[in-house]
Amino acid sequence: MALAKEIMGISVVEKSSLISSSKVFLNPNFYQKENQLCVDRQFQGRRSLRTRRLLRQSPMAAISENLIKVVPEKAVKFKVRAVVTVRNKNKEDLKETIVKHLDAFTDKFGRNVALELISTDIDPNTKGPKKSNQAVLKDWSKKSNLKTERVNYTAEFVVDSNFGTPGAITVTNKHQQEFFLESITIEGFACGPVHFPCNSWVQSKKDHPGKRIFFSNQPYLPNETPAGLKLLRERELRDLRGDGTGARKLSDRVYDYDIYNDLGNPDKGIDLARPKLGGSNNVPYPRRCRTGRAPTDTDMSAESRVEKPKPLYVPRDEQFEESKMNAFRTGRLKAVLHNLIPSLMASISTNNHDFKGFSDIDNLYSKGLLLKLGLQDEMLKKLPLPKVVSSIQEGDLLKYDTPKILSKDRFAWLRDDEFARQAIAGVNPVNIERLQAFPPVSKLDPEIYGTQESALKEEHILGHLNGMTVQEALDANRLYIVDYHDVYLPFLDRINALDGRKAYATRTMFFLSDLGTLKPVAIELSLPQTGPSSRSKRVVTPPVDATGNWMWQLAKAHVCSNDAGVHQLVNHWLRTHACLEPFILAAHRQLSAMHPIYKLLDPHMRYTLEINALARQSLISADGVIEACFTPGRYCMEMSAAAYKNFWRFDLEGLPADLIRRGMAVPDPTQPHGLKLLIEDYPYAADGLMIWAAVEGWVRSYVNHYYPDSARVCNDRELQAWYAESINVGHADLRNEEWWPTLATPEDLISILTTLIWLASAQHASLNFGQYPYGGYVPNRPPLMRRLIPDENDPEYAVFHADPQKYFFSALPSLLQATKFMAVVDTLSTHSPDEEYLGDRHQQSTWTGDTEIVEAFYDFSSEIRRIEKEIDERNADTTLRNRCGAGVLPYELLAPSSGPGVTCRGVPNSVSI
């Protein structure tokens, strides 16, 4: 409480040494009046009973009541000080160093950084907000050579005793170079320190002539905005929206929308043209951040490409900070090296495209690609890549880390129980459903795709149900399914026509044992019908002989390939990355930085626009990593758009609603989270529900503080504009769907915000940071398959029968495909050193000026730490066999904290990788 009171300025403030006027220094009445004015304005319109009690108990309040009628004869001028924290770059290029020294020199002659304080009050003479004199940062030239991460500068303002409370500050950068402004603290007002969390790049006046506006940490709903800040609040939002025209510069801070029309590159050939995603009912998609680039030469509706290493536009403050960018570049360097050597290998010998055996894969971790290929330093030195050569010679950049799936049992991936366990505790635990009818039924249009009856029969699974009939197993909630039939079947003809791609539409059935573990009982493999009597479906069951064992392993590999595609294109990219982007764009465009909901969402929006832009540039683009490494190939993003059209519903994206939709839980008010899991040891759901409840509790405290009734929600024009724009513009292709939640009550707002925070933090973490630990060993989770499973009438059957292991590896990705995939998911699974985890936030004590909210956040942080301890205890509980046992990986993907690197744990606040 003492810390919170200090932040809010409730405690009695000592007389500041900065106040130079002897009249002020000797006049106690001045301090009492100013204290009362500051406190009154800080709490205007939102005095909870608890806060009023605090004010009554403090000595300051008691003295103020006695002296409130004492009015100074005239306004008295005094000085206040600004402490400005600027963050330095760790590394500068030559141009930046030269400009930095030039700025230090010219700063002495008036080309400086100037500040101006703005009051929350209106000046009766000018009818505008009260303003201080302009003050410049001191000692810029003297401190320009400091190598510390942060540098503090000061500036002094002269204000009078009628100035009121500072609510905003403007910054003018007269230097040549931008700088990162972390925070400003104003000291010397009787109400105590006033904090301005900035965390923004301030551009040079020559690039952006207008003054930058920063608001104090005191939140205000729109209708409570102090008179002196109203116009500034509106102006700042107008600047962030822009006018929707022109190409954006990298230094801009403009947030706008566009469709996904920049994934293809038709100017390089028809093979690199791709459909536009979004803007039509046939191919709907969420909107992305507009860049305004010129169209391509061959297709006026397609936006021209910016190829790496040139950066794509995102608003300047959305770009990675230096430590994050350095970590990402290191990962990119590793990816380049890992792709370079296999490419050289492929060019040296045409016989080295496939893995020959398990030892070839093991060598990627033990010996590394360089030793494996026997390439000489002389050969590498001939390449125009001196930095790459030095990296090869100095470190282990070409050696892959051993994936976690191999850490406890090298052969775990071969076991059926591990194959099943990963459906509820692996990197994609969100597709398993309770089977509610047997056989399963397709929802595809039979007029387009023909009769879609399942080939699964009772005799296929009856011997694996512990003596139960199928109906008894259904009634006892013992049958579960991972069904990719309807996702893949519409694309199979086109996928299987691609070189080096072969796929089925799979269904996998599981039986829940008495121990609470799952076992696979049947795999259905479907192909499109080529005629009325064509055999388009087959069922593979657990093996009883050697031939059946290899058939079963191939069938499981095809299931994993299906699973990898849906995981990456639908659950990971679409549901957490792409579908959140419109809400983030709308938040910046419609919610002022002083809006309490913006302050709540701010840490959960960090870096998302930048990582999405990087994905458009090199991952999901034509011939990018996703197309190269995943089964659907050039149809990857069309499959993602089909899932958006047919599957995605915002009202079912929250964890409880999703579990109920999939039949994995039923409502039960007697349970801690109001749900009963039908598989009690379902690690993703069990841990996720704890985090969901913690986030919901935090959001509920926050929302109820600002919105005690529905009228406040309905009358908040910024809030309503944010939600309406997120739907009507950001998700325009689905805006008429009836399932969109309304926003009319505090409970509506709690539900919407909890869902968004869940998706950005825990849901994304559960789907992202296990990619290399589970997928880095390609046989465990092949991202694509190159051969179908032969039957006895196929010409390939003899090859399979003669050497099943060789056939198995020829069906897996090639060496080049596998190593490219491994390098990319290694980067995606890596936490950067500046990661901000759930329960943490930048400037933790000063991000808001509301005492009760600061306290509530500390309570939330404590609950997250408690959850982490409980997850650790669960992972040591031998009765929970899906997360504890010989050779079983603990489920840590929802453990909130993590160190940097690939850890297979940690829940960052935002979608940042």
Side-chain angles (χ1 to χ4, degrees), residues 128-142:
K130 293 180 181 178
K131 298 179 181 180
S132 72
N133 65 305
Q134 193 174 82
V136 299
L137 294 190
K138 297 179 179 179
D139 296 332
W140 188 283
S141 58
K142 293 181 180 179

Side-chain angles (χ1 to χ4, degrees), residues 60-76:
M60 176 267 308
I63 296 172
S64 296
E65 288 171 6
N66 294 333
L67 301 176
I68 191 67
K69 296 180 180 180
V70 178
V71 180
E73 294 180 2
K74 62 178 181 179
V76 180

Side-chain angles (χ1 to χ4, degrees), residues 422 425-429 563 567 766-771 774-775 781 893:
Q422 289 185 31
V427 71
N428 188 39
D563 188 73
H567 161 258
S766 71
L767 296 166
N768 183 71
F769 293 104
Q771 290 190 82
Y774 282 97
R781 192 173 174 76
L893 285 169

Side-chain angles (χ1 to χ4, degrees), residues 130 385 520 614 824 842:
K130 293 180 181 178
L385 298 167
L614 290 168
V824 170
H842 196 53

Side-chain angles (χ1 to χ4, degrees), residues 693-740:
V695 170
E696 185 180 48
W698 155 236
V699 172
R700 186 176 301 279
S701 298
Y702 195 97
V703 167
N704 288 339
H705 182 74
Y706 295 102
Y707 300 94
D709 52 54
S710 297
R712 289 210 173 197
V713 173
C714 294
N715 294 331
D716 186 334
R717 62 181 184 276
E718 286 185 9
L719 181 70
Q720 293 295 332
W722 162 68
Y723 188 58
E725 185 173 283
S726 299
I727 297 170
N728 295 320
V729 182
H731 287 278
D733 303 329
L734 301 182
R735 65 184 179 275
N736 295 322
E737 297 294 337
E738 296 180 354
W739 42 254
W740 283 105

Side-chain angles (χ1 to χ4, degrees), residues 134 139 153 218 229 255 277 302 331 512 535 639 741 837 840 900:
Q134 193 174 82
D139 296 332
Y153 300 93
Q218 183 59 39
L229 303 181
Y255 298 78
L277 306 183
L512 180 64
R535 185 185 175 196
M639 182 179 288
Y837 297 96
D840 298 327

